[in-house]
Amino acid sequence: MLAKRIIPCLDIKDGRTVKGVNFVNLRDAGDPVELGAKYSLAGADELVFLDITATHERRKTLADLARDIARHLNIPFTIGGGIKSLTDVDVLLDAGADKVSINSAAVRRPELIDELAYAFGNQFVVVAVDARMVGGEWYVHLNGGRIKTTHRLYDWVGEAQERGAGEILFTSMDHDGTKAGFATEALARMSEQLSIPIIASGGAGNKEHFADVFTRGKADAGLAASIFHFGEVSIGELKTYLVGEGIAVRPVD
């Protein structure tokens, strides 16, 4: 069994790490570079940095942030927010990012996935998908949940894989920040449908939720923010628990 990955996520607004519930009511959680360095030392397998206002405010993710992060980390990190072109990605990878995450721009122009995969390789392309249930079906949403699309979740992730996505980062907006557990049914269905890794996001509240998402949800990685940022669960404690549950994880150095 491949080791399951534990990935702290740092949502960034105006240069600070923030966290809210269902994408609203944001509160400050600290400096992203300092937090990232702390998680690296604590045994995180990867990190994700997302500028959550970049698309809405038409700002590009700053390459300066990627450089600063790269100087302080020794684990892989993904960065996203407002990425719309090959040039955006080239700048971020050159600044030290290991992968880039695209979301709204990919939905609006799916060919972007093909272009990035061809230019840089599938392994560098993470397609982030924010979705929520509407009328009993999962629909993709854009701009931090402000815009509902006509894209059904399972159709869209299938297309993303076909176009060259290397990973899917799925966030259930109904679960985000609630600490009530991940959307395991949706994740399990995607895992059975796709051949690329799926990162589960939205709803982590305790160690048991991670065990659940790796077993029932069949996710390849579990991503969380609040429980790590505010010290509710440590990465070392989480990995020790998962090993005890028979789930393979990379050891904490």
Side-chain angles (χ1 to χ4, degrees):
M1 179 191 293
L2 288 176
K4 303 294 187 180
R5 290 171 288 153
I6 304 300
I7 306 177
C9 179
L10 295 91
D11 292 333
I12 299 167
K13 183 177 188 294
D14 301 325
R16 298 288 294 179
T17 307
V18 295
K19 189 56 194 161
V21 177
N22 301 128
F23 285 47
V24 296
N25 300 323
L26 303 178
R27 59 175 171 153
D28 188 272
D31 177 85
V33 178
E34 291 179 4
L35 273 176
K38 181 183 81 170
Y39 292 141
S40 177
L41 291 172
D45 298 302
E46 297 180 20
L47 294 170
V48 170
F49 295 85
L50 298 176
D51 188 331
I52 61 172
T53 55
T55 304
H56 178 55
E57 297 175 1
R58 301 296 186 264
R59 293 186 287 104
K60 295 190 187 302
T61 303
L62 295 176
D64 287 346
L65 176 62
R67 288 192 190 91
D68 202 10
I69 294 166
R71 281 197 296 266
H72 291 83
L73 294 188
N74 58 5
I75 58 174
F77 73 93
T78 299
I79 194 163
I83 295 172
K84 298 177 182 177
S85 68
L86 292 176
T87 302
D88 292 340
V89 173
D90 192 38
V91 167
L92 290 170
L93 294 178
D94 186 60
D98 297 279
K99 293 180 269 191
V100 295
S101 170
I102 55 174
N103 190 333
S104 298
V107 175
R108 293 193 171 104
R109 194 173 71 84
E111 296 80 12
L112 179 62
I113 304 172
D114 304 74
E115 294 165 6
L116 296 182
Y118 179 78
F120 303 105
N122 305 58
Q123 70 272 24
F124 294 104
V125 183
V126 178
V127 173
V129 181
D130 300 332
R132 64 165 31 121
M133 290 281 283
V134 180
E137 279 203 67
W138 286 96
Y139 282 92
V140 176
H141 285 63
L142 303 182
N143 291 53
R146 286 175 281 269
I147 300 174
K148 175 185 173 291
T149 75
T150 58
H151 289 278
R152 290 180 172 86
L153 171 63
Y154 306 112
D155 294 340
W156 173 236
V157 296
E159 180 178 348
Q161 175 177 271
E162 289 175 10
R163 288 184 177 276
E167 286 185 284
I168 297 294
L169 168 51
F170 166 65
T171 300
S172 165
M173 297 178 59
D174 296 323
H175 295 70
D176 180 70
T178 64
K179 301 182 184 178
F182 294 93
T184 52
E185 289 185 15
L187 286 158
R189 178 169 168 179
M190 279 187 282
S191 179
E192 291 165 2
Q193 173 189 349
L194 306 177
S195 60
I196 58 176
I198 298 170
I199 303 169
S201 170
N206 55 43
K207 301 187 295 294
E208 290 77 13
H209 291 153
F210 280 89
D212 196 41
V213 82
F214 291 143
T215 53
R216 288 203 306 132
K218 302 179 182 179
D220 299 277
L223 178 148
S226 296
I227 63 168
F228 296 139
H229 298 342
F230 303 118
E232 296 164 40
V233 176
S234 74
I235 294 167
E237 173 190 0
L238 173 59
K239 286 192 169 185
T240 298
Y241 166 78
L242 292 172
V243 169
E245 294 296 306
I247 296 168
V249 294
R250 295 185 179 96
V252 177
D253 292 333

